[in-house]
Amino acid sequence: MEKKHVFQRFDLHLRIQHIGMFTSFIVLTITGLPIKFEQNVVSQWIVSIFGGFDNLFAVHLFAGAVMLVDFVYHLLYLVIYPIVTKRLSLAIFQRARTFSM
């Protein structure tokens, strides 16, 4: 019987970063559109779900803070992780053959 190789694509840190990013993006979208288009019937319905404009705006600001913290955490992780593990991947950088015709 052949042995199967299992590769872990994302570690726990990257999973947390992606969950934080897409969750905050969805919340920012749901709360941001009613802020921009306040006269729309759907926007008024969403505002009423949140219990008023002030609550909607507070949730929007909190989701923005979550996205900002997640972004900073991601940048720090990209710098610190290769230093700590001594595994630097240059795969993110473009090569000359990428631009050749």
XYZ file of all heavy atoms in Angstrom:
835
model
N 0.840 -1.182 0.000
C 0.000 0.000 0.000
C 0.885 1.245 0.000
O 1.832 1.337 0.750
C -0.901 -0.023 1.229
C -1.870 1.093 1.265
S -3.131 0.735 2.470
C -4.526 1.154 1.533
N 0.526 2.184 -0.870
C 1.313 3.404 -0.990
C 0.975 4.399 0.105
O -0.153 4.509 0.539
C 1.023 4.052 -2.344
C 2.201 3.984 -3.266
C 1.898 4.699 -4.551
O 1.926 5.934 -4.540
O 1.622 4.002 -5.530
N 1.999 5.092 0.511
C 1.826 6.114 1.541
C 1.397 7.421 0.881
O 2.000 7.861 -0.086
C 3.166 6.303 2.250
C 3.080 6.977 3.561
C 4.479 7.051 4.142
C 4.405 7.302 5.600
N 5.723 7.448 6.184
N 0.325 8.034 1.400
C -0.145 9.308 0.861
C 0.536 10.456 1.574
O 0.705 10.427 2.776
C -1.658 9.440 1.035
C -2.446 8.608 0.090
C -3.895 9.005 0.169
C -4.661 8.283 -0.903
N -6.031 8.746 -0.987
N 0.905 11.451 0.797
C 1.507 12.653 1.368
C 0.412 13.683 1.606
O -0.395 13.969 0.727
C 2.563 13.241 0.437
C 3.732 12.333 0.243
N 4.699 12.173 1.198
C 4.070 11.529 -0.786
C 5.596 11.318 0.763
N 5.240 10.903 -0.449
N 0.394 14.240 2.801
C -0.573 15.269 3.137
C 0.174 16.575 3.335
O 1.144 16.645 4.094
C -1.346 14.897 4.427
C -2.307 16.003 4.805
C -2.074 13.582 4.240
N -0.275 17.594 2.636
C 0.336 18.906 2.737
C -0.637 19.859 3.410
O -1.785 19.961 2.992
C 0.718 19.442 1.357
C 1.755 18.617 0.673
C 1.385 17.679 -0.269
C 3.082 18.774 0.982
C 2.331 16.912 -0.907
C 4.044 18.012 0.354
C 3.668 17.073 -0.597
N -0.167 20.562 4.407
C -0.998 21.565 5.065
C -0.793 22.884 4.339
O 0.317 23.407 4.294
C -0.617 21.703 6.535
C -1.478 22.684 7.272
C -1.093 22.802 8.734
O -0.198 22.127 9.208
N -1.784 23.665 9.431
N -1.872 23.399 3.772
C -1.748 24.609 2.969
C -1.599 25.860 3.816
O -0.759 26.705 3.533
C -2.972 24.729 2.075
C -2.852 25.875 1.129
C -3.869 25.813 0.053
N -3.741 27.004 -0.766
C -4.456 27.250 -1.798
N -5.352 26.392 -2.169
N -4.288 28.346 -2.486
N -2.421 26.007 4.836
C -2.366 27.179 5.699
C -2.199 26.740 7.140
O -2.842 25.797 7.582
C -3.645 28.021 5.600
C -3.867 28.644 4.263
C -4.971 28.321 3.502
C -2.976 29.563 3.761
C -5.183 28.896 2.283
C -3.173 30.153 2.534
C -4.279 29.813 1.789
N -1.353 27.446 7.875
C -1.232 27.159 9.305
C -2.306 27.933 10.067
O -3.119 28.647 9.481
C 0.171 27.475 9.816
C 0.544 28.942 9.687
O -0.273 29.716 9.194
O 1.661 29.300 10.096
N -2.314 27.777 11.375
C -3.358 28.384 12.200
C -3.359 29.909 12.090
O -4.423 30.532 12.018
C -3.187 27.959 13.660
C -4.214 28.508 14.639
C -5.607 27.994 14.284
C -3.859 28.125 16.060
N -2.175 30.513 12.046
C -2.092 31.970 11.958
C -2.742 32.492 10.672
O -3.497 33.460 10.698
C -0.639 32.441 12.017
C 0.001 32.239 13.334
N -0.222 33.069 14.396
C 0.848 31.280 13.779
C 0.466 32.652 15.435
N 1.120 31.564 15.090
N -2.444 31.846 9.562
C -3.019 32.297 8.295
C -4.526 32.061 8.251
O -5.269 32.861 7.679
C -2.342 31.589 7.129
C -0.910 32.043 6.864
C -0.267 31.193 5.786
C -0.875 33.500 6.476
N -4.993 30.991 8.857
C -6.439 30.752 8.911
C -7.141 31.834 9.716
O -8.192 32.343 9.321
C -6.727 29.381 9.519
C -6.325 28.252 8.607
C -6.573 26.921 9.245
N -5.996 25.879 8.409
C -5.885 24.628 8.761
N -6.313 24.235 9.944
N -5.353 23.757 7.943
N -6.552 32.198 10.858
C -7.133 33.268 11.679
C -7.140 34.583 10.905
O -8.122 35.324 10.931
C -6.366 33.403 13.008
C -6.618 32.182 13.894
C -6.744 34.684 13.739
C -5.736 32.110 15.111
N -6.056 34.865 10.202
C -5.976 36.101 9.425
C -7.046 36.139 8.338
O -7.719 37.163 8.145
C -4.600 36.231 8.782
C -3.492 36.473 9.770
C -2.128 36.371 9.126
O -1.984 36.552 7.915
N -1.120 36.067 9.919
N -7.230 35.044 7.636
C -8.216 35.021 6.562
C -9.640 35.094 7.102
O -10.491 35.787 6.528
C -8.030 33.762 5.703
C -6.916 33.891 4.728
N -5.632 33.555 5.038
C -6.905 34.342 3.459
C -4.858 33.785 3.985
N -5.604 34.262 3.017
N -9.916 34.405 8.201
C -11.249 34.481 8.795
C -11.542 35.911 9.252
O -12.627 36.439 9.012
C -11.382 33.476 9.964
C -11.412 32.055 9.415
C -12.617 33.760 10.795
C -11.303 30.981 10.478
N -10.570 36.549 9.893
C -10.755 37.942 10.323
C -10.954 38.880 9.156
O -11.797 39.787 9.207
N -10.217 38.656 8.075
C -10.310 39.552 6.922
C -11.640 39.397 6.198
O -12.316 40.380 5.924
C -9.149 39.288 5.957
C -9.022 40.316 4.873
S -8.765 42.003 5.446
C -7.093 41.949 6.007
N -12.053 38.160 5.906
C -13.299 38.043 5.157
C -14.526 38.334 6.017
O -15.526 38.850 5.513
C -13.424 36.727 4.384
C -13.713 35.490 5.183
C -14.958 35.248 5.742
C -12.736 34.517 5.325
C -15.222 34.091 6.436
C -12.994 33.360 6.023
C -14.245 33.144 6.582
N -14.447 38.065 7.315
C -15.572 38.402 8.188
C -15.726 39.913 8.298
O -16.840 40.446 8.179
C -15.377 37.783 9.583
O -15.219 36.372 9.447
C -16.551 38.070 10.479
N -14.618 40.604 8.513
C -14.705 42.063 8.620
C -15.121 42.681 7.286
O -15.871 43.660 7.262
C -13.382 42.646 9.103
O -12.347 42.378 8.181
N -14.686 42.108 6.180
C -15.083 42.630 4.867
C -16.585 42.491 4.659
O -17.246 43.431 4.201
C -14.330 41.902 3.741
C -14.779 42.322 2.374
C -14.325 43.502 1.822
C -15.669 41.540 1.656
C -14.755 43.902 0.564
C -16.096 41.930 0.401
C -15.638 43.107 -0.147
N -17.134 41.341 5.009
C -18.574 41.132 4.835
C -19.368 42.086 5.725
O -20.350 42.698 5.295
C -18.939 39.661 5.105
C -18.369 38.781 3.983
C -20.446 39.471 5.221
C -18.453 37.299 4.252
N -18.937 42.242 6.978
C -19.628 43.150 7.894
C -19.505 44.590 7.401
O -20.482 45.356 7.440
C -19.097 42.995 9.334
C -19.664 44.077 10.243
C -19.430 41.627 9.881
N -18.330 44.973 6.919
C -18.153 46.330 6.387
C -19.031 46.571 5.163
O -19.563 47.660 4.977
C -16.690 46.576 6.041
C -15.766 46.852 7.220
C -14.309 46.779 6.790
C -16.080 48.192 7.846
N -19.199 45.561 4.348
C -20.058 45.697 3.176
C -21.520 45.855 3.585
O -22.227 46.734 3.094
C -19.901 44.474 2.257
O -18.525 44.346 1.887
C -20.746 44.619 1.007
N -21.964 44.989 4.504
C -23.361 45.039 4.938
C -23.683 46.344 5.652
O -24.774 46.888 5.508
C -23.678 43.825 5.828
C -23.648 42.551 4.983
C -25.019 43.968 6.528
C -23.732 41.283 5.798
N -22.751 46.855 6.418
C -23.006 48.090 7.159
C -22.636 49.344 6.369
O -23.180 50.423 6.629
C -22.242 48.097 8.493
O -20.836 47.956 8.241
C -22.724 46.993 9.397
N -21.731 49.235 5.423
C -21.278 50.407 4.674
C -22.240 50.862 3.606
O -22.392 52.063 3.361
N -22.894 49.927 2.949
C -23.828 50.314 1.895
C -25.013 51.120 2.434
O -25.405 52.114 1.804
C -24.286 49.077 1.119
C -23.208 48.476 0.210
C -23.673 47.169 -0.390
C -22.808 49.445 -0.874
N -25.598 50.751 3.573
C -26.660 51.608 4.111
C -26.176 52.990 4.547
O -26.945 53.947 4.541
C -27.187 50.828 5.318
C -26.833 49.426 5.053
C -25.552 49.477 4.287
N -24.897 53.089 4.919
C -24.354 54.405 5.275
C -24.259 55.272 4.018
O -24.603 56.453 4.037
C -22.981 54.257 5.961
C -23.150 53.591 7.327
C -22.283 55.604 6.098
C -21.847 53.194 7.989
N -23.820 54.673 2.918
C -23.662 55.413 1.670
C -25.012 55.721 1.014
O -25.247 56.825 0.539
C -22.778 54.607 0.711
C -22.610 55.193 -0.654
C -21.788 56.438 -0.628
C -21.570 56.926 -2.050
N -21.061 58.264 -2.087
N -25.896 54.720 0.969
C -27.188 54.877 0.286
C -28.315 54.810 1.315
O -29.097 53.868 1.350
C -27.356 53.773 -0.765
C -26.238 53.727 -1.759
C -25.290 52.723 -1.716
C -26.129 54.702 -2.738
C -24.257 52.675 -2.637
C -25.100 54.666 -3.662
C -24.161 53.652 -3.610
N -28.415 55.849 2.120
C -29.336 55.828 3.259
C -30.805 55.929 2.861
O -31.685 55.533 3.615
C -28.990 56.959 4.221
C -29.222 58.305 3.604
C -28.193 59.322 3.998
O -27.110 58.952 4.440
O -28.505 60.504 3.843
N -31.114 56.447 1.686
C -32.511 56.625 1.275
C -33.116 55.362 0.657
O -34.327 55.300 0.466
C -32.617 57.780 0.273
C -32.167 59.103 0.834
C -32.966 59.519 2.063
O -34.169 59.307 2.132
N -32.289 60.093 3.041
N -32.300 54.370 0.370
C -32.782 53.134 -0.226
C -33.625 52.358 0.780
O -33.343 52.353 1.972
C -31.578 52.298 -0.675
C -31.971 51.149 -1.570
O -33.037 50.564 -1.427
N -31.081 50.826 -2.496
N -34.661 51.682 0.299
C -35.555 50.921 1.173
C -34.808 49.790 1.857
O -35.001 49.525 3.056
C -36.755 50.376 0.354
C -37.638 49.492 1.216
C -37.546 51.502 -0.252
N -33.936 49.115 1.122
C -33.153 48.017 1.704
C -32.220 48.552 2.786
O -32.037 47.926 3.835
C -32.364 47.263 0.603
C -31.499 46.186 1.201
C -33.309 46.680 -0.439
N -31.648 49.712 2.553
C -30.765 50.328 3.540
C -31.513 50.652 4.827
O -31.008 50.422 5.928
C -30.140 51.604 2.984
O -29.335 51.317 1.871
N -32.706 51.173 4.685
C -33.508 51.492 5.870
C -33.868 50.220 6.639
O -33.906 50.222 7.873
C -34.767 52.263 5.460
C -34.448 53.633 4.916
C -35.649 54.326 4.301
O -36.730 53.758 4.222
N -35.442 55.558 3.859
N -34.099 49.125 5.913
C -34.400 47.846 6.554
C -33.182 47.345 7.335
O -33.300 46.875 8.464
C -34.835 46.839 5.491
C -35.111 45.476 6.010
C -36.166 45.087 6.769
C -34.293 44.324 5.820
N -36.069 43.747 7.053
C -34.930 43.252 6.488
C -33.104 44.080 5.151
C -34.404 41.973 6.500
C -32.585 42.795 5.157
C -33.227 41.770 5.828
N -31.996 47.460 6.734
C -30.765 47.015 7.410
C -30.499 47.876 8.644
O -30.101 47.360 9.695
C -29.570 47.029 6.427
C -29.767 45.965 5.350
C -28.256 46.799 7.161
C -28.755 45.995 4.240
N -30.705 49.172 8.538
C -30.520 50.070 9.684
C -31.465 49.672 10.814
O -31.084 49.643 11.996
C -30.725 51.548 9.279
C -30.801 52.442 10.504
C -29.602 52.002 8.357
N -32.691 49.309 10.481
C -33.643 48.909 11.522
C -33.242 47.591 12.172
O -33.510 47.369 13.352
C -35.056 48.811 10.948
O -35.150 47.737 10.026
N -32.606 46.698 11.423
C -32.117 45.435 12.000
C -31.074 45.716 13.078
O -31.052 45.060 14.126
C -31.542 44.516 10.905
C -32.664 43.961 10.043
C -30.732 43.372 11.503
C -32.191 43.153 8.872
N -30.216 46.695 12.823
C -29.162 47.029 13.780
C -29.665 47.925 14.913
O -28.896 48.275 15.799
C -27.989 47.711 13.064
C -27.096 46.747 12.336
C -27.329 46.422 11.010
C -26.028 46.146 12.977
C -26.515 45.539 10.340
C -25.197 45.258 12.320
C -25.449 44.946 10.997
N -30.902 48.316 14.877
C -31.469 49.119 15.956
C -31.200 50.601 15.831
O -31.195 51.319 16.821
N -30.930 51.049 14.634
C -30.700 52.472 14.410
C -29.351 52.727 13.758
O -28.469 51.863 13.701
N -29.232 53.961 13.269
C -28.024 54.334 12.534
C -26.781 54.335 13.430
O -25.698 53.946 12.994
C -28.213 55.706 11.884
C -27.072 56.095 11.007
C -26.969 55.589 9.729
C -26.091 56.963 11.467
C -25.905 55.933 8.911
C -25.021 57.312 10.663
C -24.937 56.795 9.377
N -26.941 54.780 14.672
C -25.784 54.847 15.571
C -25.201 53.463 15.843
O -23.972 53.292 15.856
C -26.168 55.522 16.891
C -26.471 57.001 16.711
O -25.972 57.587 15.724
O -27.206 57.557 17.541
N -26.058 52.478 16.055
C -25.574 51.110 16.271
C -24.919 50.559 15.014
O -23.880 49.895 15.076
C -26.724 50.192 16.693
C -27.250 50.528 18.060
O -26.583 51.170 18.857
N -28.471 50.108 18.334
N -25.523 50.831 13.862
C -24.951 50.381 12.589
C -23.567 50.981 12.384
O -22.623 50.280 12.002
C -25.872 50.793 11.440
C -25.377 50.469 10.040
C -25.830 49.085 9.634
C -25.872 51.498 9.058
N -23.449 52.263 12.663
C -22.162 52.939 12.479
C -21.112 52.419 13.463
O -19.935 52.272 13.108
C -22.339 54.451 12.627
C -21.172 55.234 12.118
C -20.888 55.277 10.773
C -20.358 55.931 12.996
C -19.807 55.993 10.295
C -19.269 56.651 12.536
C -18.993 56.679 11.182
N -21.524 52.103 14.689
C -20.595 51.552 15.676
C -20.082 50.181 15.229
O -18.887 49.886 15.349
C -21.258 51.454 17.042
N -20.973 49.360 14.703
C -20.562 48.049 14.190
C -19.622 48.226 13.004
O -18.623 47.505 12.859
C -21.801 47.201 13.807
C -21.399 45.946 13.059
C -22.607 46.846 15.045
N -19.925 49.195 12.157
C -19.073 49.469 11.002
C -17.662 49.889 11.441
O -16.669 49.414 10.886
C -19.723 50.557 10.142
C -19.030 50.809 8.849
N -19.148 49.968 7.764
C -18.204 51.817 8.455
C -18.423 50.430 6.770
N -17.838 51.560 7.157
N -17.589 50.769 12.421
C -16.276 51.203 12.924
C -15.510 50.050 13.570
O -14.288 49.920 13.390
C -16.443 52.353 13.917
C -16.885 53.689 13.330
C -17.067 54.711 14.445
C -15.899 54.191 12.301
N -16.213 49.206 14.318
C -15.562 48.061 14.951
C -15.022 47.090 13.897
O -13.901 46.599 14.014
C -16.538 47.338 15.890
C -15.936 46.148 16.558
C -15.053 46.304 17.622
C -16.233 44.866 16.125
C -14.479 45.204 18.237
C -15.669 43.764 16.729
C -14.790 43.930 17.788
N -15.811 46.829 12.863
C -15.357 45.937 11.796
C -14.159 46.533 11.059
O -13.236 45.807 10.666
C -16.491 45.653 10.822
N -14.145 47.849 10.892
C -12.991 48.503 10.284
C -11.743 48.370 11.142
O -10.638 48.161 10.633
N -11.912 48.471 12.457
C -10.778 48.293 13.369
C -10.268 46.861 13.313
O -9.055 46.626 13.344
C -11.188 48.672 14.788
N -11.186 45.896 13.225
C -10.787 44.485 13.112
C -9.989 44.271 11.835
O -8.948 43.606 11.841
C -12.018 43.559 13.162
C -11.644 42.133 12.760
C -12.645 43.569 14.539
N -10.434 44.864 10.739
C -9.710 44.717 9.475
C -8.329 45.363 9.543
O -7.344 44.802 9.049
C -10.503 45.311 8.319
C -9.845 45.112 6.970
S -10.810 45.739 5.602
C -11.781 44.296 5.217
N -8.241 46.510 10.176
C -6.952 47.189 10.313
C -5.986 46.382 11.171
O -4.813 46.211 10.817
C -7.151 48.587 10.896
C -5.911 49.446 11.032
C -5.322 49.744 9.663
C -6.231 50.723 11.760
N -6.470 45.868 12.305
C -5.623 45.048 13.181
C -5.187 43.778 12.458
O -4.033 43.348 12.557
C -6.365 44.726 14.501
C -5.662 43.647 15.295
C -6.520 45.980 15.332
N -6.103 43.174 11.704
C -5.776 41.972 10.950
C -4.718 42.261 9.893
O -3.799 41.462 9.685
C -7.039 41.411 10.300
C -6.816 40.057 9.678
O -6.235 39.188 10.354
O -7.234 39.866 8.522
N -4.813 43.406 9.249
C -3.828 43.808 8.248
C -2.440 43.985 8.869
O -1.436 43.492 8.345
C -4.291 45.093 7.570
C -3.254 45.732 6.690
C -2.908 45.154 5.489
C -2.637 46.909 7.067
C -1.952 45.731 4.674
C -1.680 47.498 6.263
C -1.338 46.907 5.059
N -2.382 44.669 9.993
C -1.099 44.886 10.677
C -0.526 43.547 11.156
O 0.667 43.284 11.008
C -1.262 45.882 11.848
C -0.020 45.939 12.712
C -1.627 47.255 11.326
N -1.389 42.695 11.710
C -0.956 41.356 12.148
C -0.403 40.561 10.969
O 0.621 39.885 11.088
C -2.135 40.626 12.788
C -1.851 39.212 13.196
C -0.950 38.928 14.218
C -2.484 38.152 12.567
C -0.694 37.628 14.599
C -2.228 36.850 12.937
C -1.336 36.584 13.953
O -1.080 35.296 14.312
N -1.044 40.668 9.824
C -0.579 39.951 8.636
C 0.790 40.460 8.186
O 1.680 39.655 7.861
C -1.599 40.112 7.512
C -1.247 39.379 6.260
N -1.261 38.008 6.165
C -0.848 39.822 5.053
C -0.903 37.639 4.960
N -0.638 38.732 4.261
N 0.980 41.771 8.173
C 2.282 42.316 7.780
C 3.384 41.899 8.757
O 4.486 41.522 8.340
C 2.212 43.836 7.686
C 1.461 44.401 6.496
C 1.496 45.915 6.536
C 2.036 43.893 5.199
N 3.092 41.976 10.055
C 4.082 41.550 11.045
C 4.385 40.072 10.905
O 5.541 39.637 11.031
C 3.595 41.867 12.456
C 3.549 43.340 12.823
C 2.912 43.524 14.189
C 4.940 43.945 12.782
N 3.363 39.273 10.639
C 3.559 37.832 10.461
C 4.442 37.552 9.251
O 5.292 36.668 9.287
C 2.204 37.142 10.308
C 2.296 35.654 10.158
C 2.529 34.844 11.273
C 2.156 35.048 8.922
C 2.617 33.475 11.143
C 2.247 33.686 8.785
C 2.470 32.899 9.896
O 2.567 31.534 9.760
N 4.261 38.311 8.175
C 5.085 38.111 6.984
C 6.544 38.465 7.223
O 7.441 37.904 6.580
C 4.550 38.946 5.821
C 3.248 38.470 5.196
C 2.810 39.458 4.121
C 3.388 37.090 4.624
N 6.811 39.373 8.144
C 8.186 39.770 8.431
C 8.812 38.875 9.506
O 9.937 38.413 9.359
C 8.233 41.259 8.875
C 9.603 41.627 9.381
C 7.802 42.150 7.734
N 8.073 38.612 10.576
C 8.637 37.907 11.724
C 8.731 36.402 11.500
O 9.721 35.774 11.886
C 7.819 38.226 12.995
C 8.003 39.703 13.340
C 8.218 37.346 14.162
C 7.105 40.194 14.440
N 7.731 35.785 10.863
C 7.717 34.332 10.698
C 8.955 33.798 9.964
O 9.575 32.845 10.428
C 6.425 33.897 9.988
C 6.320 32.411 9.789
C 5.999 31.579 10.859
C 6.540 31.832 8.552
C 5.901 30.223 10.690
C 6.447 30.479 8.374
C 6.116 29.670 9.447
O 6.028 28.316 9.280
N 9.367 34.391 8.838
C 10.575 33.885 8.174
C 11.841 34.064 9.012
O 12.765 33.258 8.931
C 10.667 34.707 6.893
C 9.307 35.217 6.663
C 8.697 35.387 8.009
N 11.887 35.100 9.833
C 13.058 35.321 10.679
C 13.140 34.262 11.768
O 14.203 33.700 12.033
C 13.028 36.737 11.288
C 13.190 37.784 10.179
C 14.114 36.903 12.346
C 12.942 39.201 10.640
N 12.006 33.969 12.404
C 11.981 33.009 13.504
C 12.226 31.589 12.999
O 12.996 30.830 13.590
C 10.635 33.087 14.264
C 10.483 31.958 15.257
C 10.515 34.431 14.957
N 11.586 31.204 11.907
C 11.721 29.829 11.401
C 12.934 29.639 10.502
O 13.247 28.513 10.133
C 10.466 29.422 10.621
O 10.305 30.309 9.513
C 9.237 29.454 11.503
N 13.578 30.735 10.132
C 14.732 30.714 9.232
C 14.387 30.048 7.892
O 15.200 29.367 7.288
C 15.912 30.012 9.893
C 16.440 30.772 11.083
C 17.628 30.079 11.701
C 18.227 30.820 12.844
N 17.401 31.346 13.851
N 13.129 30.269 7.468
C 12.670 29.758 6.176
C 12.136 30.937 5.380
O 11.009 31.368 5.554
C 11.570 28.719 6.347
C 12.057 27.454 6.949
C 11.003 26.396 7.099
N 9.672 26.795 6.653
C 8.589 26.118 6.923
N 8.651 25.034 7.643
N 7.417 26.524 6.485
N 12.953 31.458 4.508
C 12.562 32.598 3.687
C 12.177 32.102 2.303
O 12.975 31.449 1.629
C 13.707 33.603 3.584
C 13.466 34.816 2.711
C 12.326 35.649 3.297
C 14.718 35.644 2.580
N 10.970 32.369 1.887
C 10.510 31.983 0.561
C 10.532 33.203 -0.338
O 9.943 34.235 -0.028
C 9.096 31.410 0.629
O 8.628 31.176 -0.677
N 11.204 33.072 -1.450
C 11.272 34.168 -2.413
C 10.229 34.001 -3.510
O 10.275 34.681 -4.524
C 12.677 34.243 -3.011
C 13.802 34.494 -1.995
C 15.155 34.456 -2.676
C 13.599 35.810 -1.276
N 9.282 33.108 -3.318
C 8.268 32.826 -4.333
C 7.349 34.017 -4.583
O 6.717 34.098 -5.630
C 7.445 31.617 -3.914
N 7.267 34.925 -3.651
C 6.380 36.078 -3.813
C 6.937 37.092 -4.811
O 6.199 37.863 -5.405
C 6.133 36.743 -2.440
C 4.976 37.722 -2.525
C 7.374 37.427 -1.928
C 4.527 38.249 -1.186
N 8.239 37.079 -5.031
C 8.861 38.053 -5.915
C 8.807 37.582 -7.362
O 8.932 36.396 -7.658
C 10.311 38.304 -5.491
C 10.422 38.874 -4.112
C 10.952 38.125 -3.076
C 9.982 40.159 -3.842
C 11.047 38.642 -1.796
C 10.073 40.694 -2.573
C 10.603 39.928 -1.551
N 8.645 38.538 -8.263
C 8.586 38.242 -9.694
C 9.985 37.939 -10.237
O 10.982 38.466 -9.744
C 7.981 39.426 -10.465
C 6.575 39.744 -10.040
C 5.625 38.642 -10.413
O 5.761 37.994 -11.438
N 4.640 38.405 -9.553
N 10.022 37.114 -11.239
C 11.290 36.799 -11.900
C 11.303 37.470 -13.271
O 10.259 37.849 -13.797
C 11.432 35.290 -12.043
C 11.494 34.605 -10.710
C 11.835 33.136 -10.893
N 11.885 32.509 -9.569
C 11.205 31.438 -9.254
N 10.449 30.828 -10.131
N 11.295 30.926 -8.033
N 12.474 37.570 -13.859
C 12.598 38.233 -15.166
C 11.818 37.490 -16.233
O 11.235 38.097 -17.129
C 14.063 38.332 -15.550
N 11.753 36.160 -16.141
C 11.051 35.402 -17.179
C 9.542 35.644 -17.147
O 8.842 35.373 -18.116
C 11.357 33.925 -17.049
C 10.799 33.317 -15.798
C 11.091 31.847 -15.728
N 10.569 31.379 -14.444
C 10.586 30.165 -14.047
N 11.097 29.245 -14.828
N 10.099 29.822 -12.887
N 9.035 36.163 -16.040
C 7.612 36.481 -15.952
C 7.252 37.596 -16.931
O 6.167 37.596 -17.507
C 7.258 36.934 -14.531
O 7.659 35.928 -13.618
C 5.775 37.177 -14.381
N 8.179 38.512 -17.148
C 7.917 39.669 -17.998
C 8.366 39.478 -19.433
O 8.118 40.321 -20.277
C 8.610 40.898 -17.420
C 8.147 41.218 -16.021
C 8.979 41.004 -14.932
C 6.874 41.704 -15.801
C 8.558 41.278 -13.654
C 6.432 41.983 -14.519
C 7.273 41.769 -13.437
N 9.043 38.372 -19.740
C 9.520 38.163 -21.100
C 8.368 37.698 -21.993
O 7.429 37.050 -21.552
C 10.649 37.131 -21.125
O 10.171 35.884 -20.678
N 8.453 38.054 -23.237
C 7.379 37.718 -24.182
C 7.620 36.398 -24.815
O 8.437 35.849 -25.202
C 7.260 38.792 -25.247
C 6.873 40.104 -24.696
S 5.138 40.044 -24.294
C 4.966 41.602 -23.487
